[in-house]
Amino acid sequence: QVQLVESGGGLVQPGGSLRLSCTASGNSFSINTMGWYRQAPGKQRELVASITSGRSTNYAASVKGRFTISRDNANNTVYLQMNNLKPEDTAVYYCYLDRFPRNYWGQGTQVTVSS
């Protein structure tokens, strides 16, 4: 069975940084796209970033230039480096793994940006 475990969330001041990590277990996932969604209170789930097996990346316009997604295939881990954080980045962040026939999800980690 596939399991994704996230870490790295927390409370930071505006302009600060966090790095989220998500490690998948149960198989090797080097051929699979992985990424991050977030959901803020009162808002729908939003795709933040994704990365393919070839390390092609995609970002939401709201985070482009501030967030960087990367992966370490040897450890089945995907990262989200978040810099210059803004209050509107406050949300629960969920990592995902795109593996036939469905997506798999992490447990979620809270990111709060506040002074």
Side-chain angles (χ1 to χ4, degrees), residues 1 9 11 28-29 33 35-36 42 44-45 48-53 65 69-70 72-73 85 95 104-106 113:
Q1 52 188 332
L11 173 65
S28 176
F29 307 106
T33 293
W36 297 87
Q44 293 189 326
R45 184 184 62 179
V48 177
S50 63
I51 183 166
T52 69
S53 62
I69 189 170
S70 61
D72 179 355
N73 288 334
L85 283 160
C95 70
Y104 295 83
W105 298 91
V113 184

Side-chain angles (χ1 to χ4, degrees), residues 7-10 16-17 24 28 32-33 40 46 51 54-55 63-64 68 71-73 77 80 82 95 102:
S7 63
S17 297
S28 176
N32 303 108
T33 293
E46 174 189 27
I51 183 166
R55 291 183 168 82
V63 308
K64 190 172 295 184
T68 302
R71 67 191 297 164
D72 179 355
N73 288 334
T77 300
L80 187 67
M82 304 185 294
C95 70
R102 68 177 182 91

